[in-house]
Amino acid sequence: TGAIGRRYRRQDEIGTPFCVTIDFETLGETPELLDTVTLRDRDTMKQERVAIADLPAILLSKINS
């Protein structure tokens, strides 16, 4: 938790609008979360788990809004 928090802060400092995190759930440690990632919004700090296949469309909609 601490390491990812530091990485998020570094990305916030340089202005990265969205961060995508691959974790053990993505790799199948939790079968129902296989092939998902965590998407974090810099401005709201909201995190949501999304399917990797849906990620391009979700990012495009966020960038275009």
Side-chain angles (χ1 to χ4, degrees), residues 10-29:
R10 288 184 194 130
Q11 293 303 308
D12 291 347
E13 288 174 6
I14 62 171
T16 305
F18 304 102
C19 289
V20 177
T21 304
I22 297 172
D23 53 23
F24 290 110
E25 283 79 13
T26 302
L27 302 175
E29 187 173 281

Side-chain angles (χ1 to χ4, degrees), residues 17-64:
F18 304 102
C19 289
V20 177
T21 304
I22 297 172
D23 53 23
F24 290 110
E25 283 79 13
T26 302
L27 302 175
E29 187 173 281
T30 307
E32 61 272 11
L33 298 177
L34 180 65
D35 296 328
T36 63
V37 293
T38 302
L39 177 63
R40 178 182 177 271
D41 184 301
R42 175 198 63 210
D43 297 335
T44 65
M45 293 188 177
K46 179 182 174 193
Q47 296 182 46
E48 60 182 313
R49 182 149 305 259
V50 299
I52 293 172
D54 297 337
L55 188 59
I58 291 169
L59 285 172
L60 280 174
S61 72
K62 289 181 179 290
I63 290 169
N64 290 326

